[in-house]
Amino acid sequence: MAPELSERARASSPIPARAGVGLKPEHYWDIAETAPDVGWFEVHPENYMGAGGYPHHMLTKIRERYPLSLHGVGLSIGAARPLDLEHLARLKALVDRYEPGLVSEHLAWSTHDTGFLNDLLPIPYTAETLDHVVRHVDQVQCALGRQVLIENPSTYVLFQESTLSEPDYLDALAQRSGCALLLDCNNAYVSAINHGFDPATYIDAFLLRHVREIHLAGHAEVADEDGGRLLIDAHDRSVIGAVWSLYERTLARTGAIPTLIEWDNDIPPWHELFEEAQKAERLLDRARRPNARAA
Amino acid sequence: MPALLETAPAALKAMQADFASALFDRRRVPEGLGARHGTPSRRFDVYRNNVVAGLIGCLGSTYPAVRRLVGDDFFNAMARLFIEGQPPASPVLLEYGAGLDAFIQSFEPAAGVPYLADVARLEWHVARACHAEDAEPIDGNAVADMTADEVARARLLLHPSLRLMRSPYPVVSIWRANVRNERGVRIAASPNGEAAMIVRPHFAVEVEQVERGAFEFLAALAAGYSLGQASAFAAQCSANFDLATTLVQIFSAGAVVDVVPFGQPHPLLQTSKGSSHA
């Protein structure tokens, strides 16, 4: 049976404008034992959709102390096929159980008639697909009874039929569906290098009024067959300097805003991840000072 | 929700059908991709790799002993074929991997490892037990104060994570030697194979080898038979069955969550929740 959240946990629901960390099972004990000074944690809800067991036990423990955000990878709001209502109901049950401060998903698709494709696949940015994604986001928000955040994806290919830029597409999506946005600075950087545009221009074009959360992560780099730089959103190392710069550029316009460090592969010891979060926390501190915000 | 009224753009449908099929077909990339660079194939490969390598990794963590028994190269090649034939139906990957045992059973190249399918079956039970519903085990004191007659007529409610399996191979010993990295485990050639009780009393999954009669006893309890009935049945199946020893084993494994005295409705019959077994 799902235990009720305590009043103490309920009171700490909203996600503060601080640095948070993507919660990995490898760090459960470090966090439960040492209660580090981290603003909040985020998990993929799909990893907590079992009925019981150790993951729920530890997440409940951690939720008692920290605000929690649910960051989905499985709703597939960009898919042509209808949303998986069973999955949506399971997400709703998890939202009811853990009362997260934020719930987010990706501007991507991952389901097809053949099954779940286990990646965040790209969609063409057209007026037609926008209508469709707006309907899906609306359906999700109605089912969950709350606003969700939608994240800009890392992309490796573009579509010839795309007519809208990604920032414009996301802004229109937020405008029309009432959703908020999650700006992943690393994804912006990865996509920019992969498609040959300037990441700073992308950030500047991103209308930040809808952004409620920022993600930071590390990426891998290989070369494509023409020798071009090909960045892969691997979440397997620390955030690079150029992405920190993009983050500072963003903070200068938004002020302090909840910021997550994601590290999902080649997971480091807890202190290393904590140090990365401290780095974000220092930049947030700076953004909190009066007159920090650009005009 | 108005699923019937939903009209996805035809172009999006066509694109995704093409994209999805190209993910599993290395000979081509989808139509309509634009890229700064001439050929987008290595870029498209990133998606291919994320999909397949991600799922292979997922199967590898569910089936560590199978992977160790056949080696990474064999496992990866086999997993790829399994994934292509049976991709996940849901984004909840902790539930992905059912049916790998049956796949292995009919997978010709694995025929040289005849027990591999049963090791896979055991690992699938472990994975299910890991995420099964929570319940608090009780200890043997619950039956200590009952008369022999009361004990015989009572029913035991087993832990919702409990799974049972048996194999013509020493499957528990093979699994233990390959998953726990225990060295020097002697795998005896047991003519009757081995039976296993898989249960997660709290947070850790326990795999215990059980005697043939104890296996039948547990299977009968899981089906709702009384202790007396289950015990009689077990004794018929195995001359070695000993009720007292078996009760100690299953209570100390944390496999029992309640004792239902005779005359009280069995919770299984009310909620249809209970342990499943092979």
Side-chain angles (χ1 to χ4, degrees), chain B residues 235-250:
Chain B
Q236 274 176 19
C237 296
S238 165
N240 297 325
F241 177 72
D242 179 72
L243 179 60
T245 314
T246 305
L247 284 176
V248 168
Q249 184 182 20
I250 69 174

Side-chain angles (χ1 to χ4, degrees), chain B:
Chain B
M1 279 298 151
L4 291 175
L5 301 177
E6 180 167 318
T7 48
L12 186 65
K13 247 183 203 167
M15 181 284 278
Q16 292 183 351
D18 187 36
F19 204 102
S21 84
L23 285 172
F24 295 103
D25 180 358
R26 294 205 155 261
R27 291 164 303 182
R28 59 186 202 87
V29 295
E31 300 288 325
L33 297 186
R36 184 169 59 118
H37 302 276
T39 27
S41 65
R42 194 166 294 176
R43 288 153 185 276
F44 188 71
D45 277 348
V46 178
Y47 293 113
R48 282 190 176 120
N49 184 60
N50 285 350
V51 172
V52 176
L55 292 175
I56 289 175
C58 166
L59 290 173
S61 61
T62 300
Y63 293 101
V66 171
R67 172 184 277 263
R68 187 150 181 250
L69 281 164
V70 297
D72 286 353
D73 291 346
F74 188 100
F75 184 86
N76 294 352
M78 180 173 77
R80 173 183 287 276
L81 291 170
F82 175 76
I83 289 160
E84 287 176 11
Q86 299 175 55
S90 129
V92 184
L93 292 183
L94 56 86
E95 293 168 358
Y96 181 55
L100 186 67
D101 59 327
F103 178 87
I104 290 171
Q105 196 77 60
S106 58
F107 186 56
E108 188 75 18
V113 194
Y115 46 81
L116 194 64
D118 280 3
V119 174
R121 194 149 56 93
L122 174 57
E123 294 202 292
W124 181 246
H125 285 313
V126 170
R128 300 324 311 134
C130 203
H131 299 287
E133 207 179 309
D134 298 327
E136 193 58 38
I138 58 169
D139 62 29
N141 290 333
V143 290
D145 296 339
M146 297 169 90
T147 66
D149 186 50
E150 282 169 342
V151 170
R153 305 211 298 170
R155 289 175 163 82
L156 296 185
L157 187 60
L158 301 177
H159 198 283
S161 67
L162 185 112
R163 328 265 303 189
L164 299 168
M165 76 166 280
R166 64 179 163 189
S167 164
Y169 303 101
V171 66
V172 179
S173 306
I174 296 170
W175 174 80
R176 215 177 277 292
N178 283 282
V179 80
R180 297 244 164 116
N181 244 336
E182 286 172 18
R183 289 185 186 279
V185 174
R186 197 166 53 84
I187 299 175
S190 49
N192 300 315
E194 286 179 1
M197 163 176 74
I198 300 106
V199 66
R200 196 204 78 235
H202 294 103
F203 307 125
V205 178
E206 304 295 338
V207 176
E208 277 201 40
Q209 194 189 328
V210 293
E211 190 265 329
R212 167 86 197 279
F215 173 88
E216 300 294 351
F217 177 69
L218 281 162
L221 290 178
Y225 288 101
S226 70
L227 267 160
Q229 290 166 322
S231 158
F233 180 61
Q236 274 176 19
C237 296
S238 165
N240 297 325
F241 177 72
D242 179 72
L243 179 60
T245 314
T246 305
L247 284 176
V248 168
Q249 184 182 20
I250 69 174
F251 273 106
S252 56
V256 183
V257 295
D258 206 0
V259 179
V260 186
F262 177 73
Q264 282 187 22
H266 191 284
L268 270 185
L269 305 175
Q270 292 182 316
T271 65
S272 79
K273 271 181 200 161
S275 45
S276 59
H277 56 92

Side-chain angles (χ1 to χ4, degrees), chain A residues 178-227:
Chain A
C179 75
L181 300 178
L182 193 173
L183 172 59
D184 187 317
C185 289
N186 181 60
N187 288 356
Y189 185 80
V190 164
S191 296
I193 300 304
N194 286 344
H195 306 311
F197 56 82
D198 176 21
T201 309
Y202 177 99
I203 293 290
D204 293 346
F206 212 97
L207 291 163
L208 299 175
R209 57 189 168 176
H210 300 298
V211 176
R212 299 283 175 274
E213 179 182 340
I214 294 178
H215 274 183
L216 299 171
H219 59 256
E221 174 161 354
V222 296
D224 70 8
E225 47 267 81
D226 307 311

Side-chain angles (χ1 to χ4, degrees), chain A residues 52-99:
Chain A
Y54 190 62
H56 279 299
H57 172 72
M58 291 310 289
L59 186 60
T60 303
K61 245 177 139 65
I62 289 167
R63 176 68 184 89
E64 286 291 320
R65 283 194 176 141
Y66 298 93
L68 179 73
S69 159
L70 295 184
H71 182 53
V73 293
L75 273 180
S76 194
I77 58 163
R81 71 198 311 265
L83 295 179
D84 178 343
L85 297 185
E86 194 191 320
H87 186 65
L88 190 52
R90 294 177 85 175
L91 179 60
K92 165 78 171 139
L94 217 56
V95 166
D96 290 345
R97 177 169 178 174
Y98 288 103
E99 303 184 23

